[in-house]
Amino acid sequence: MSATYPAGEGELPGRIMSGEMAEQPAMLRRILDEGAPAIRAVAAEIAARKPRFVLLTARGTSDNAALYAKYLMEIRLGLPCGLASMSTTTAYGAKPDLRDVLVVTVSQSGGSPDLVASTRAAREAGAVTLAVTNNPDSPLAAVSEYHIDILAGPEKALPATKTYTASLLSLYLFVEGLRGGDGAAATILPELAEAILDRKSEVRALASRYRFAERMVITSRGYGYPTAKEAALKLMETSYIPALSYSGADLLHGPLAMVDNISPVIAVVTDGRGGEALQPVLDRLRGRGADLFVVGPKAQVEAASAGFVLPTAGVAEEVQPILEILPLQMLAYEVTIARGQDPDAPRALAKVTETH
């Protein structure tokens, strides 16, 4: 089956981003078929060293992938995790004791100086260091003790799409490897991803609702929360619409006051405990008359103003984020095109962001 977003649509705006979105089903298959053995091998070596704590280091889209890994490790492994503040070492020169700590650095390019510097400092401080990148020849891979290649292939559009889902799947397989699992729950993902990407016309129709939106709020809980953050980032960097992402629990602690019947609210409803935990938030949003767009199971979509039904029946909750982000990538693309902008080249952005 051919994907809906084909590469090489002439010189149309967004043709690179659309082509890279279309590559995702094949890429997921490649990771499962070719990358999984190497990921399991790395996981086995690290598991044997019995890390007591995990620090996750990343920026931008990769930071959202790292947050997904945090949920996986805390839920699936019972291993405490934190998101690193790189400036403590790169700007302030702090020297924490990182013996028996696993430091996982997630980066598409592996080239940002602060990621390289903080990883080098972590290794010098006694940490077990793992780089998860799309470039095995990168400086980050060179300074890390271990490396996982996410096998996404070259990504040329400035908005990251396929490297995000590749990072999620690679991190899922790594965590499953740490616990001695086989990652079988992921085998259904390429087929389902292809079916989702074939629903281009459906997303285009939904995008017309939000062409003139002045802001959006995106919310979720549990495994879906990283999806909410990544969707907000995609919308902001492509369409320039201010998109605010909140955990459903945090949304109730103040930000709910800004929700009205004008500004759209996108709720990512994972089919499982995360969706159950989000239900009181959905009830409050409906009570406020919010323009509610739901990405999730059919029953939740039918109760909202609009939405996109995900094929989540029989799909393990922990791998649903790899599917959840796909219609939201498509939505960011379609809204941007509808606003007369080019999602391939957002203003003021570079593919490799060199923070220090």
Side-chain angles (χ1 to χ4, degrees), residues 71 218-222 224-225 228 245-256 267-268 274 277-282 284-285:
Y71 276 90
I218 308 177
T219 188
S220 189
R221 291 203 69 180
Y225 180 42
S245 59
Y246 295 99
S247 158
D250 288 333
L251 184 63
L252 297 182
H253 285 266
L256 184 68
V268 180
L278 190 64
Q279 191 58 54
V281 181
L282 298 175
R284 291 284 298 276
L285 289 169

Side-chain angles (χ1 to χ4, degrees), residues 164-207:
Y164 179 69
T165 48
S167 296
L168 296 192
L169 180 54
S170 298
L171 287 164
Y172 167 74
L173 293 173
F174 171 67
V175 173
E176 285 300 288
L178 289 177
R179 64 192 295 268
D182 60 6
T187 56
I188 196 173
L189 295 177
E191 177 183 350
L192 295 178
E194 198 162 43
I196 290 170
L197 291 169
D198 276 341
R199 294 162 64 185
K200 179 178 181 180
S201 59
E202 182 181 339
V203 175
R204 182 175 295 150
L206 291 167

Side-chain angles (χ1 to χ4, degrees), residues 204 207-212 239 331-343:
R204 182 175 295 150
S208 65
R209 295 169 58 98
Y210 308 120
R211 177 180 178 183
F212 299 108
S239 69
L331 182 68
Y333 171 89
E334 294 292 355
V335 168
T336 304
I337 293 295
R339 289 163 69 95
Q341 295 151 200
D342 185 357

Side-chain angles (χ1 to χ4, degrees), residues 46-106:
I46 292 176
R49 298 175 67 170
K50 299 186 179 345
R52 59 182 173 83
F53 190 85
V54 181
L55 275 176
L56 296 148
T57 307
R59 296 284 192 202
T61 285
S62 294
D63 199 33
N64 299 327
L67 180 59
Y68 168 70
K70 183 177 189 294
Y71 276 90
L72 281 175
M73 290 185 181
E74 292 186 342
I75 296 169
R76 305 285 286 173
L77 303 177
L79 196 59
C81 301
L83 299 176
S85 300
M86 282 175 279
S87 62
T88 61
T89 55
T90 60
Y92 291 93
K95 298 185 181 300
D97 181 357
L98 297 179
R99 288 172 294 178
D100 302 321
V101 174
L102 170 62
V103 172
V104 181
T105 307
V106 186

Side-chain angles (χ1 to χ4, degrees), residues 4 137 201 267 294 355:
T4 301
D137 299 319
S201 59
V294 166
T355 47

Side-chain angles (χ1 to χ4, degrees), residues 299-321:
Q300 294 289 351
V301 172
E302 290 177 343
S305 307
F308 188 99
V309 177
L310 284 175
T312 54
V315 180
E317 182 177 359
E318 59 268 20
V319 297
Q320 289 180 35

